[in-house]
Amino acid sequence: MDKKLLDKIIEESFQYYKKGHVATYIPALGRVNPEQLGIAVYDLENNEQYFAGNAETSFAIESISKVPVLLLAIEERGLKNVFNKVDAEPTGFSFNSILNMEINKRTYPMNPFVNTGAIVINSLINGKNSDERFEKILSFMKLICNNEHLTLNQEIYESESRTGDINRSLAYYMKANDMFDGDVEDVLDSYFKQCSVNVNTIDLSNLAAVLANNGIAPWNNQQIVSEEAAITVKSIMTTAGLYDESGDFSTHVGIPAKSGVGGGLMAVSPDKFGIGVFGPALDKEGNSTAGMKALKLLVEKVGLNIFE
Ligand code: DON
């Protein structure tokens, strides 16, 4: 990797923030400055990190949290038990759609990266209440992001919780249809908290580097998750990581990626790079406009399309 290349990618992609808008359905996200773009790359070949732009700016992890929480659930329960509760199919619907379950007569959520699936996955984390589950989730995020200073963004959490009625409706719908056990409000509380952890692109590049390295943290060679879990998660990122833009991204870019409405993107170049991107202005599907452009340029310039 090359720092100059990342600087150039930021320069070429930055203006794409104009094509998007910060998320406003969570009021605290609506106050973020859209004119930001950052990128960080963890290079597995030499164990070096490269970054450019607003790489060190903190933002809410949001839906990218669905990746570490799924990995933790798989570690605790085993792959089979987790995928007995959640499918691995792309949806073609927005991330918080209730329609897909109704229309398709679902008896369990379509995949772990739409909100219904993520709420069920959160409920699977061992712990008797929200505090216990969140403590485990935060410790695991610290481990896999190689950052012991990760914290909950209290303002985002309160904002998510106060305005989270669509998520409440999804959770009550699932509870009424026997899709998950536990107390709805308590599970939603730990779900809102998992979305409200502050990260930066370097943290995300570390998380992605563990996946790129098939579960082994490249900075200390510790096996954090099984190879099987890492492979499974990368494949679902490829088919459902960017919601109803996943097919387009696979076709025109071609690497596993996961987005969050805080503007983060986490992408994996298997055996090569872990990539974190931040650009808070989003397109209508909820993905970073400048961030997606930056990822596309990086993949093209370095030749990282996994299907090539
Ligand atoms: O559940 C929500 O609405 C948010 N906390 C997370 C959604 C999200 O990041 C979707 N991603 N693009």
Side-chain angles (χ1 to χ4, degrees):
M1 192 42 62
D2 171 11
K3 156 87 173 140
K4 281 205 192 84
L5 174 69
L6 297 184
D7 286 333
K8 192 163 163 20
I9 287 172
I10 293 289
E11 200 187 304
E12 286 177 34
S13 322
F14 179 76
Q15 57 185 313
Y16 282 76
Y17 81 85
K18 292 179 191 151
K19 291 183 184 283
H21 302 279
V22 292
T24 49
Y25 78 105
I26 298 165
L29 290 179
R31 292 192 279 277
V32 174
N33 173 13
E35 296 180 35
Q36 303 186 78
L37 183 62
I39 189 165
V41 176
Y42 191 114
D43 188 338
L44 292 180
E45 195 175 271
N46 55 6
N47 267 314
E48 292 281 343
Q49 280 175 303
Y50 301 84
F51 33 95
N54 303 102
E56 290 174 84
T57 304
S58 289
F59 55 91
I61 188 169
E62 295 295 345
S63 282
I64 301 169
S65 67
K66 293 167 181 171
V67 172
V69 181
L70 173 61
L71 288 167
L72 180 58
I74 294 172
E75 287 310 294
E76 287 189 350
R77 305 242 169 187
L79 200 64
K80 204 161 157 253
N81 291 328
V82 169
F83 286 95
N84 274 339
K85 300 270 184 200
V86 178
D87 216 336
E89 292 295 340
T91 71
F93 287 89
S94 71
F95 61 85
N96 55 10
S97 170
I98 200 166
L99 266 183
N100 61 4
M101 287 193 299
E102 274 270 80
I103 286 176
N104 296 311
K105 301 269 179 286
R106 301 296 304 179
T107 48
Y108 45 94
M110 302 278 298
N111 71 60
F113 295 160
V114 287
N115 287 9
T116 46
I119 292 166
V120 169
I121 297 294
N122 184 293
S123 79
L124 296 179
I125 302 301
N126 289 325
K128 59 178 182 306
N129 54 31
S130 166
D131 285 349
E132 281 192 14
R133 280 190 304 278
F134 181 64
E135 205 182 300
K136 284 186 141 187
I137 289 169
L138 186 60
S139 302
F140 186 73
M141 284 182 179
K142 288 177 180 176
L143 178 72
I144 202 162
C145 292
N146 195 24
N147 182 356
E148 62 184 37
H149 302 296
L150 293 187
T151 50
L152 177 74
N153 181 326
Q154 193 66 27
E155 189 199 359
I156 298 273
Y157 159 63
E158 283 167 16
S159 201
E160 295 254 356
S161 181
R162 209 172 33 248
T163 58
D165 289 339
I166 292 183
N167 284 321
R168 285 190 183 87
S169 67
L170 295 172
Y172 278 106
Y173 176 87
M174 290 193 292
K175 179 78 180 176
N177 288 283
D178 295 324
M179 292 191 210
F180 79 100
D181 301 320
D183 179 81
V184 169
E185 289 299 333
D186 188 63
V187 169
L188 283 170
D189 190 65
S190 46
Y191 170 72
F192 293 139
K193 282 184 174 155
Q194 78 169 60
C195 293
S196 308
V197 172
N198 266 346
V199 290
N200 63 28
T201 62
I202 300 166
D203 302 324
L204 295 183
S205 72
N206 289 335
L207 163 59
V210 175
L211 292 172
N213 205 29
N214 279 331
I216 298 170
W219 51 88
N220 64 5
N221 285 326
Q222 184 191 342
Q223 182 99 42
I224 295 186
V225 296
S226 67
E227 182 173 12
E228 191 185 29
I231 291 170
T232 304
V233 168
K234 278 182 281 189
S235 75
I236 307 175
M237 284 167 67
T238 308
T239 54
L242 303 175
Y243 308 106
D244 32 345
E245 215 175 340
S246 303
D248 198 57
F249 189 80
S250 272
T251 307
H252 299 295
V253 184
I255 51 168
K258 181 76 204 81
S259 62
V261 291
L265 280 164
M266 187 270 290
V268 178
S269 170
D271 304 318
K272 291 188 183 132
F273 304 109
I275 305 160
V277 183
F278 167 58
L282 311 177
D283 62 18
K284 66 178 188 331
E285 286 87 4
N287 300 319
S288 170
T289 49
M292 298 278 273
K293 179 68 185 176
L295 256 187
K296 188 171 193 305
L297 285 178
L298 180 67
V299 168
E300 283 169 3
K301 287 178 196 277
V302 187
L304 301 178
N305 187 328
I306 62 168
F307 302 109
E308 269 172 13

